Amino acid sequence: MKDQLDKLRLNALELIGGLDDEKSLFDVRTRVLGRKGELTGFLRGLKDLPPKTRAEIGQLANLIKSELEQKIDEKQATIREKAEERKIGSEFLDVTLPGRRSIPGRTHILNRVTDELIQVFNGLGFQLAEGPEVELDYYNFEALNIPRDHPARDMQDTFYLSDNVVLRTHTSPVQIRTMELQKPPLRVICPGKVYRRDADITHSPMFMQIEGLWVDQGISLSDLKGVLTAFVQEYFGEKLGLRFRPSFFPFTEPSAEVDIQCVICGGEGCRTCSSTGWLEILGAGMVDPALYRFVDYDPEIYSGFAFGMGIERVAMLKYGIPDIRAFYENDVRFLNQF
Ligand code: PHE
């Protein structure tokens, strides 16, 4: 019996000595010391021995058991230590290497100008409103007093997605959407992308507009003039004058095109303003009472004004950018200037 135990011990020690991974070590532990293991089975068999031999062999077997347990534990520690060393070795960090520079992005110039405009109009009490770029014919035209087959549709060469769905040609549909949802008083500013079939150095098929709308009791043309003057002086400079030229839009009456004194020459006349001293920046007017029919407002009680301007145009004037295509080419040399 002693020989048997000795053999078991030597076998196990040899096995343990030759191992170098945790998984095999675990297997050996189970095979020898586990509940169905060799040594465990041996210990269980002791109860059939005469008491004297049982005590002697039992003592020996228990000694071997703790010896093996200790050896396995030691081996496990060594294996883990080696694994750790290997890991540290492979993750060696050369602190003398040059660092990797991370290049932070920045807000696109058009988004920045949009934010600036929103901020100025926020200051004048206008709240942000938005609408979809894929728009129903109804909001883009019908409810803005531009019926089907009306010649005014020619002013905006339109991308039709189907008979009733267009890419919005201006931000004015947000006027209708906002009035549908809210009763006056109402004062909103609505920036966003718009689309027209048009492309040259001052026109892009996709561009941005910002729309303003203020409806309440007793709003008049002088309020429109006051708001736009405050805006121009805040954004472009204290001394710039404004000029209203009579114009036509189906959704405003009366309508005007608004010019500001040239931001480059201050009104003297230069290349940018074609020597006129003036730059056109927006369309505006008093909301045509015909629109109130579509949104269930009483035109006897309420009046309002609306205006819309091209954000690229504003950005070009504010930052002296000569070609509208620069905004969309994504040339970082251009974008990095702002
Ligand atoms: N929607 C008009 C355009 O795109 C601009 C405009 C807006 C005019 C609001 C009057 C009032 O040309």
Side-chain angles (χ1 to χ4, degrees):
M1 288 215 97
K2 265 194 197 157
D3 287 350
Q4 220 180 323
L5 264 179
D6 265 343
K7 230 173 105 193
L8 195 153
R9 171 176 172 270
L10 286 177
N11 257 338
L13 285 178
E14 197 180 344
L15 255 176
I16 297 165
L19 288 179
D20 60 2
D21 68 295
E22 277 206 70
K23 164 95 179 51
S24 321
L25 189 66
F26 182 81
D27 290 345
V28 171
R29 192 196 288 269
T30 323
R31 209 163 75 218
V32 182
L33 302 172
R35 247 174 1 105
K36 290 187 183 140
E38 288 166 25
L39 189 62
T40 322
F42 190 92
L43 282 165
R44 221 173 263 139
L46 291 181
K47 64 179 185 323
D48 305 326
L49 297 177
K52 200 161 157 270
T53 341
R54 192 197 305 166
E56 195 187 332
I57 300 287
Q59 203 178 16
L60 184 59
N62 275 323
L63 272 177
I64 290 176
K65 187 176 171 207
S66 35
E67 184 193 1
L68 290 180
E69 270 168 357
Q70 199 192 337
K71 282 280 186 280
I72 289 177
D73 286 348
E74 281 170 15
K75 188 73 185 185
Q76 179 160 358
T78 325
I79 289 175
R80 285 192 179 163
E81 224 167 87
K82 279 203 185 129
E84 187 69 12
E85 269 167 25
R86 235 178 292 133
K87 195 166 158 228
I88 291 172
S90 70
E91 282 173 2
F92 170 71
L93 180 67
D94 183 352
V95 291
T96 66
L97 280 174
R100 270 183 221 147
R101 185 198 290 268
S102 67
I103 305 168
R106 64 177 72 206
T107 308
H108 190 277
I109 177 66
L110 285 178
N111 288 328
R112 192 169 116 198
V113 169
T114 306
D115 290 345
E116 290 168 357
L117 294 174
I118 293 171
Q119 221 176 359
V120 173
F121 283 104
N122 273 170
L124 293 166
F126 288 76
Q127 287 181 334
L128 191 66
E130 283 177 307
E133 290 168 33
V134 177
E135 185 56 285
L136 292 172
D137 185 282
Y138 175 78
Y139 290 107
N140 197 79
F141 293 123
E142 291 280 339
L144 286 167
N145 202 28
I146 315 174
R148 237 167 242 276
D149 306 321
H150 192 284
R153 288 207 180 189
D154 286 350
M155 290 165 78
Q156 304 176 350
D157 204 348
T158 309
F159 291 107
Y160 280 87
L161 299 185
S162 74
D163 246 11
N164 289 316
V165 182
V166 302
L167 292 182
R168 67 176 177 192
T169 56
H170 49 179
T171 41
S172 300
V174 187
Q175 288 186 33
I176 304 293
R177 287 183 173 275
T178 312
M179 288 194 282
E180 263 185 359
L181 291 175
Q182 277 168 252
K183 291 285 160 217
L186 168 158
R187 212 185 318 179
V188 289
I189 192 84
C190 331
K193 296 195 186 78
V194 301
Y195 302 83
R196 290 182 203 179
R197 299 186 44 170
D198 216 350
D200 58 36
I201 83 162
T202 51
H203 295 90
S204 152
M206 179 195 80
F207 60 106
M208 294 189 73
Q209 284 189 337
I210 192 159
E211 190 93 5
L213 174 70
W214 186 349
V215 183
D216 198 351
Q217 295 186 29
I219 299 291
S220 72
L221 201 62
S222 60
D223 295 302
L224 171 62
K225 210 174 163 194
V227 164
L228 291 180
T229 305
F231 156 67
V232 166
Q233 296 189 343
E234 163 87 23
Y235 196 64
F236 288 108
E238 287 288 322
K239 293 193 198 77
L240 288 183
L242 275 77
R243 175 169 91 168
F244 284 60
R245 277 182 293 111
S247 185
F248 173 79
F249 298 103
F251 34 91
T252 45
E253 183 59 37
S255 304
E257 263 161 298
V258 178
D259 302 336
I260 58 172
Q261 274 180 319
C262 180
V263 294
I264 309 292
C265 63
E268 306 261 304
C270 68
R271 239 166 49 123
T272 304
C273 59
S274 316
S275 307
T276 61
W278 295 94
L279 297 164
E280 182 191 326
I281 61 158
L282 55 84
M286 300 307 293
V287 177
D288 194 312
L291 269 58
Y292 296 141
R293 270 207 326 270
F294 290 93
V295 297
D296 225 6
Y297 282 11
D298 186 344
E300 297 300 323
I301 301 179
Y302 297 113
S303 58
F305 65 75
F307 60 87
M309 64 186 142
I311 294 178
E312 284 83 354
R313 176 113 177 109
V314 170
M316 288 165 87
L317 295 176
K318 173 96 175 173
Y319 294 101
I321 300 160
D323 186 341
I324 195 172
R325 290 170 296 199
F327 293 117
Y328 312 110
E329 278 166 352
N330 284 334
D331 184 332
V332 287
R333 290 168 304 179
F334 168 72
L335 297 174
N336 278 345
Q337 296 175 62
F338 308 104

